[in-house]
Amino acid sequence: MGLLVALDRPGGYEELVGKLCSRVDGFKLGLPLLMARGPGYAGLLRRRCRDALWVADLKLADIGYVMRLTAGLVAEHVDAVIAHGFVGVEGALGELKDYLDSLGKRLVVVASMSHPGAREAYDHALPRILETLERLRPWGVVAPATRPRVVGIVRRRLGPGVAIMSPGVGAQGAEPGSALCAGADYEIVGRAITGSDDPVEAAERIRREQEARLSNCRGTSHGS
């Protein structure tokens, strides 16, 4: 059961990260935040919670050379970088993965997205993207909590060796635990926590809801 907090809006998150550090598994840094505060801000935040999983959500979609340059700006401060799956392996994701591997960092690839419009193109391309992912073997894959069926497809196709991250819990309508039940390793929650009057309580409540749903869908108590 995993919970990642999305830090997307430009702002100061040092205090929030410190408060959430022992309550969540990691943080996803959005492009608006990194553009506003600079790549070095990721390092500042990481010092507030060193043992968490830190993911730079760059959603890279370019040739390998450009993606390597972009990832290199923030790679020293994070554990993983997110790129789009539709750009393919040769001259693109393959080069990015080799680069991140050389730094001891992880590649996470988007299989589909959490917004309704993803059904118009991304979901139709899912079979081909899964072929790309089977060939590439990235550390992680993004699949939407808003469509657990897609999470299940990704898990069955790629097996247990890939870490699935699922955005869309909370503000976009997916319920905590729904993606975990479908096969995800982490659910990504942003505004439901960062926009709350009490982010710590919100994170703890989401944890409880994840555990309750997992207990129900697996037919056993969590951890047994």
Side-chain angles (χ1 to χ4, degrees):
M1 183 176 71
L3 175 58
L4 303 181
V5 179
L7 307 178
D8 291 316
R9 290 180 292 190
Y13 289 104
E14 298 94 321
E15 182 178 355
L16 178 63
V17 167
K19 288 181 177 179
L20 293 176
C21 183
S22 63
R23 295 173 170 87
V24 303
D25 297 287
F27 301 89
K28 181 183 74 73
L29 303 174
L31 190 57
L33 175 63
L34 292 173
M35 289 184 67
R37 300 300 297 265
Y41 188 60
L44 188 154
L45 290 180
R46 181 164 202 156
R47 289 192 289 274
R48 297 296 182 105
C49 192
R50 294 185 182 275
D51 294 332
L53 175 65
W54 288 90
V55 182
D57 189 8
L58 304 178
K59 290 208 175 67
L60 298 171
D62 214 311
I63 64 171
Y65 170 72
V66 174
M67 291 196 292
R68 294 198 315 269
L69 289 177
T70 308
L73 297 174
V74 72
E76 67 177 296
H77 305 302
V78 299
D79 301 296
V81 172
I82 295 178
H84 275 294
F86 56 75
V87 294
V89 176
E90 294 184 12
L93 292 173
E95 292 184 13
L96 177 61
K97 184 175 184 296
D98 288 345
Y99 172 69
L100 292 173
D101 284 347
S102 74
L103 300 176
K105 305 297 180 178
R106 305 165 183 172
L107 175 62
V108 179
V109 179
V110 178
S112 189
M113 298 177 68
S114 55
H115 64 295
R119 296 186 181 93
E120 300 170 10
Y122 232 134
D123 284 4
H124 287 290
L126 183 60
R128 297 298 298 272
I129 291 172
L130 287 172
E131 291 175 5
T132 294
L133 294 174
E134 285 179 319
R135 178 181 174 191
L136 185 68
R137 304 308 301 178
W139 175 81
V141 173
V142 174
T146 49
R147 292 193 302 290
R149 183 185 69 84
V150 176
V151 178
I153 290 171
V154 173
R155 174 58 72 204
R156 289 190 295 273
R157 183 72 173 267
L158 300 182
V162 65
I164 298 179
M165 301 178 177
S166 293
V169 173
Q172 292 186 67
E175 296 183 357
S178 57
L180 297 177
C181 283
D185 298 283
Y186 300 95
E187 291 181 337
I188 300 171
V189 183
R191 287 166 283 177
I193 293 176
T194 60
S196 171
D197 292 334
D198 189 341
V200 171
E201 190 282 328
E204 291 176 341
R205 173 180 50 78
I206 289 168
R207 280 285 206 191
R208 292 193 298 270
E209 292 176 3
Q210 285 180 322
E211 184 170 354
R213 185 173 287 270
L214 270 175
S215 177
N216 183 60
C217 74
R218 292 179 178 176
T220 183
S221 60
H222 178 61
S224 64

